[in-house]
Amino acid sequence: MEILSNSELCIQVSASGAELCSIQCDGKELLWQADPVFWGRHSPILFPIVGRVWDDMYQCDGNTYKLSQHGFARDMDFQLIKKTESELRYRLVDNEQTHQKFPYDFCLEVGYRIEGKKLK
């Protein structure tokens, strides 16, 4: 878990899914805390789709692929590629595992930056 903080804001981000897990402003938690009784995620990255394909299967160029609801990025470990006092940046690049679900090359970057009470 990586943490960014200043005098007004503190965020926590997990490399798993590059998921924002906490936003605290003036000591008050502002983000859903993933109670597994209701929903066990905080703020997942939905990639390469938002939603679901019919029966979790689709065809592309004569091949059939299995792709679960909202894709796979939220369940993968991202690489931390930048960390400063006010910014975190993560990257997920296509690989053999992703090509089994999604046949395209990609480079997905997700960044978080804090400025005063703002999260960008």
Side-chain angles (χ1 to χ4, degrees):
M1 191 75 64
E2 295 290 339
I3 298 172
L4 290 181
S5 65
N6 60 27
S7 62
E8 300 173 290
L9 192 65
C10 179
I11 68 168
Q12 295 181 26
V13 181
S14 172
S16 178
E19 186 173 13
L20 183 61
C21 296
S22 176
I23 306 170
Q24 291 186 2
C25 184
D26 298 327
K28 181 179 179 183
E29 180 60 56
L30 302 177
L31 188 64
W32 168 255
Q33 286 302 289
D35 184 340
V37 171
F38 301 102
W39 186 57
R41 296 185 189 263
H42 299 272
S43 175
I45 304 294
L46 309 182
F47 177 86
I49 62 169
V50 175
R52 146 175 277 142
V53 293
W54 190 265
D55 289 333
D56 293 337
M57 304 290 279
Y58 72 99
Q59 291 188 347
C60 181
D61 295 330
N63 296 309
T64 300
Y65 297 90
K66 182 171 178 60
L67 185 62
S68 61
Q69 183 177 12
H70 302 315
F72 50 78
R74 64 189 182 160
D75 298 315
M76 297 190 74
D77 289 334
F78 282 61
Q79 177 186 12
L80 180 63
I81 59 169
K82 181 179 184 180
K83 181 178 181 178
T84 68
E85 289 182 4
S86 62
E87 184 177 6
L88 296 169
R89 183 162 294 279
Y90 293 87
R91 179 181 291 152
L92 179 66
V93 179
D94 63 282
N95 58 45
E96 187 176 314
Q97 181 184 1
T98 66
H99 286 168
Q100 292 174 8
K101 301 174 184 183
F102 186 69
Y104 303 101
D105 296 339
F106 67 87
C107 178
L108 173 62
E109 289 192 8
V110 178
Y112 301 95
R113 185 173 60 243
I114 59 173
E115 297 174 359
K117 286 188 176 184
K118 293 181 183 179
L119 170 61
K120 296 181 176 188

